[in-house]
C-alpha cells in the first residue's frame, strides 16, 4: 500500500469538479485503479471490463442494479396513473402540505420513520414528496438533500436495523463489558449525524438555503411537471404500502424471524417487484391502460434511470478496485500510534470521513476502522463509546455525500435530481457538519 492507492479517488473528485461529469470521473478513476493493479495501461483497459463483469456476477450487486431498473418502472406507473395527483389533493385538503415547511417536515418524518432500511427510507421520502416539492417551487436538489441527509444519519442513530447489528458484530472480541451499552452510548456522541439532522431541520424550518444549493434554487424556474388528472389514491398508496410492508416482512423472513439479520438486497428487490406487480394489476383492473401501454410505460421508466444504473455499476466496480488497492487501509494508517490523546478521536473521525468519501461505503469504512479504533481507545483510555461514534459518524459522512456512494446515487435517482447537482449542493452542508464534529471531538478529547 503506497500513496498511489489514493490517486483514483483524488482523480475522480478532481474530474467531477472540473468537468462536472461524474461518469467520466468514475471511468477515469476505475481505469487508473486497474492500471495500478495490472502495471500497464492495456491491462488497465482490459481490467475495467473484467471488473464490471465481476460486479454483475455478484448476486448482491445484481439485485441492486435490477432493483434500480424496477424503481424506474414503478415511478413511471405511479406518476402516470394519476394516483400521485390524488394523494397530493388529499394531503392538501387535510392541511398537511400547504407550505414548503410542512412539505419539508413531511419528507424528514417519512425518512426517519422508515429507518429499518436505507433504500426504503430514501425511496419513501422521495416518492411521497417529489410532486409536492414541484408544486411549492422547491428544487429537486433540495429534495435529494433532505432525503439523503435524513436517511443516512438516522440509520446509526436508531440502531434497531441491520446497521446496528453489523456495528455490534464489529465490537466483539475487545473485552468490552457490555458492547450493547457501548453502542447505545455512541448515539448521543455521534456529533456528525446529530449536526447533519440539525442542519436539515434548520433548512426545513427557515426555508433558507446556502452555497451551491442557493444557486440551484435561484436558477429554478417554475418547472413542476405536468401532473396527471387526479384519479384514485390507491394507485399510489397501494404500491407504496406493499413496498414498505414487504421490505419489513421480507427482512424478518430472510433473517429467520430476526429483522436485524435479514438480507436488505433481497428484501428490497422482492418488495419492489411486488409493488410493481400490484401497480400493474390495479392499472389494468381500473382500465387505465392496456397491457402493451403498461409494458411500454415500464420500459420508458427504466430507460430514464439507465444513466444512474450505469453510475451504480461503475461505483461498485471502483469500490472493489480500491479495496484491492488497499486505499482504505492506507488512509487509516495516517492515524499513528504516537499521538496526543486529545487528537486521537478527531483524527479517527477524519480518517473515517476520508475513507468513506474515497470508497463510497460506510460499512467498508466501519470494517477497516473499528479494528484500529477500539484497541486505540483501550490503550489511550478513551471512552469506547466516543471512539465508536467517531467511526460510525465518519463512515456515514461518505455514505451521505460521496459521489460513488449507493445511497447518494439512489437519492439522486429517487428525487429526479442530476447526480452531480446533488453531490455539489449537499457537500458544503456535509463538510460544515464534519468540521463542527471535529471541533466537538477535539473538545471531548481535551476534557478526557
Amino acid at each position: 500500500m503506497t500513496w498511489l492507492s489514493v490517486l483514483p479517488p483524488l482523480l475522480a473528485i478532481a474530474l467531477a469538479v472540473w468537468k462536472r461529469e461524474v461518469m467520466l470521473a468514475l471511468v477515469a478513476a476505475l481505469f487508473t485503479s486497474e492500471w495500478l493493479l495490472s502495471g500497464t495501461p492495456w491491462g488497465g483497459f482490459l481490467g475495467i471490463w473484467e471488473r464490471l463483469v465481476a460486479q454483475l456476477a455478484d448476486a448482491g450487486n445484481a439485485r441492486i442494479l435490477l432493483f434500480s431498473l424496477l424503481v424506474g418502472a414503478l415511478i413511471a406507473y405511479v406518476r402516470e396513473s394519476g394516483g400521485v395527483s390524488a394523494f397530493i389533493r388529499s394531503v392538501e385538503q387535510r392541511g398537511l402540505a400547504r407550505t414548503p415547511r410542512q412539505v419539508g417536515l413531511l419528507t424528514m418524518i417519512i425518512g426517519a420513520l422508515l429507518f429499518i432500511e436505507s433504500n426504503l427510507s430514501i425511496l419513501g421520502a422521495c416518492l411521497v414528496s417529489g410532486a409536492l416539492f414541484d408544486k411549492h417551487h422547491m428544487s429537486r436538489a433540495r429534495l435529494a438533500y433532505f432525503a439523503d441527509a435524513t436517511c443516512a444519519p438516522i440509520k446509526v442513530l436508531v440502531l434497531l436495523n441491520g446497521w446496528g447489528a453489523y456495528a455490534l458484530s464489529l465490537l466483539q472480541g475487545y473485552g468490552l463489558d457490555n458492547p450493547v451499552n457501548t453502542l447505545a452510548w455512541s448515539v448521543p456522541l455521534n456529533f456528525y449525524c446529530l449536526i447533519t439532522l440539525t442542519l436539515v431541520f434548520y433548512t426545513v424550518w427557515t426555508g433558507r438555503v446556502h452555497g451551491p444549493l442557493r444557486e440551484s434554487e435561484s436558477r429554478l424556474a417554475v418547472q413542476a411537471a405536468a401532473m396527471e388528472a387526479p384519479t384514485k389514491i390507491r394507485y399510489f398508496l397501494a404500491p407504496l404500502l406493499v413496498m414498505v410492508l414487504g421490505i419489513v416482512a421480507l427482512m424478518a423472513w430472510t433473517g429467520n424471524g430476526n429483522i436485524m439479520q435479514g438480507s436488505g438486497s433481497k428484501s428490497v428487490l422482492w418488495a419492489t417487484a411486488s409493488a410493481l406487480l400490484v401497480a400493474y394489476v390495479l392499472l389494468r383492473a381500473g382500465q387505465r391502460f392496456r397491457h402493451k401501454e403498461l409494458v411500454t410505460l415500464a420500459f420508458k421508466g427504466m430507460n430514464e434511470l439507465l444513466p444512474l444504473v450505469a453510475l451504480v455499476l461503475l461505483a461498485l466496480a471502483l469500490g472493489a478496485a480500491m479495496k484491492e488497492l488497499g486505499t482504505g487501509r492506507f488512509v487509516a494508517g495516517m492515524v499513528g500510534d504516537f499521538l496526543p490523546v486529545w487528537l486521537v478521536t478527531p483524527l479517527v473521525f477524519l480518517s473515517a470521513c476520508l475513507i468513506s468519501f474515497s470508497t463510497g461505503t460506510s460499512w467498508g469504512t466501519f470494517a477497516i476502522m473499528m479494528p484500529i479504533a477500539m484497541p486505540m481507545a483501550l490503550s489511550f483510555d478513551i471512552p469506547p463509546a466516543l471512539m465508536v461514534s467517531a467511526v460510525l459518524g465518519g463512515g456515514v459522512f461518505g455514505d451521505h455525500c460521496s459521489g460513488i456512494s449507493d445511497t447518494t446515487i439512489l437519492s439522486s435517482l429517487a428525487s429526479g435530481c442530476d447526480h452531480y447537482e446533488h453531490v455539489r449542493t449537499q457537500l458544503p452542508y456535509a463538510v460544515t457538519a464534519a468540521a463542527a464534529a471535529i471541533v466537538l471531538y477535539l473538545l471531548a478529547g481535551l476534557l478526557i
Side-chain angles (χ1 to χ4, degrees), residues 275-288:
L276 185 61
L277 176 61
V278 168
Y280 173 88
V281 170
L282 286 174
L283 292 175
R284 282 293 295 126
Q287 298 184 343
R288 287 282 298 161

Side-chain angles (χ1 to χ4, degrees), residues 2-20:
T2 68
W3 66 270
L4 288 174
S5 64
V6 300
L7 185 59
L10 291 177
L11 179 62
I13 295 168
L15 278 177
V17 173
W18 177 36
K19 291 293 186 180
R20 299 190 176 187

Side-chain angles (χ1 to χ4, degrees), residues 135-352:
K135 187 174 182 65
H136 289 279
H137 309 309
M138 294 187 290
S139 70
R140 290 303 182 98
R142 190 192 298 210
L143 171 59
Y145 166 60
F146 284 178
D148 205 357
T150 299
C151 299
I154 206 71
K155 304 307 168 299
V156 294
L157 295 178
V158 183
L159 291 162
L160 300 175
N161 49 35
W163 293 60
Y166 179 63
L168 188 61
S169 70
L170 295 177
L171 293 179
Q172 307 301 319
Y174 296 107
L176 298 174
D177 294 333
N178 191 335
V180 174
N181 190 54
T182 298
L183 189 60
W185 275 106
S186 73
V187 172
L189 297 172
N190 199 324
F191 302 132
Y192 174 75
C193 292
L194 293 172
I195 293 169
T196 296
L197 289 176
T198 301
L199 287 176
V200 176
F201 182 77
Y202 158 81
T203 306
V204 168
W205 193 260
T206 65
R208 297 174 181 172
V209 290
H210 305 279
L213 185 55
R214 184 176 182 178
E215 298 171 11
S216 180
E217 294 276 325
S218 67
R219 294 194 304 269
L220 177 67
V222 180
Q223 61 177 23
M227 296 289 293
E228 294 293 323
T231 53
K232 302 293 184 182
I233 198 172
R234 62 173 175 266
Y235 293 150
F236 171 68
L237 285 186
L240 183 64
L241 288 174
V242 167
M243 185 176 67
V244 171
L245 298 178
I247 288 177
V248 176
L250 288 167
M251 286 191 70
W253 184 47
T254 55
N256 295 319
N258 186 347
I259 199 168
M260 296 176 68
Q261 299 296 329
S263 171
S265 62
K266 288 182 180 178
S267 302
V268 169
L269 175 61
W270 296 347
T272 304
S274 301
L276 185 61
L277 176 61
V278 168
Y280 173 88
V281 170
L282 286 174
L283 292 175
R284 282 293 295 126
Q287 298 184 343
R288 287 282 298 161
F289 297 92
R290 294 192 300 271
H291 168 73
K292 287 185 177 180
E293 292 174 330
L294 287 172
V295 171
T296 300
L297 184 58
F299 279 108
K300 178 183 176 183
M302 292 181 188
N303 183 60
E304 290 174 357
L305 295 189
L306 275 178
L308 283 173
V309 173
L311 279 181
V312 173
L313 178 58
L314 287 170
L316 291 170
L318 180 57
M322 288 194 295
K323 182 178 180 180
E324 192 171 331
L325 275 174
T327 302
R329 295 194 179 278
F330 177 80
V331 176
M334 293 189 305
V335 181
D337 296 325
F338 305 100
L339 294 170
V341 174
W342 57 274
L343 266 180
V344 172
T345 307
L347 283 180
V348 165
F349 171 74
L350 181 59
S351 294

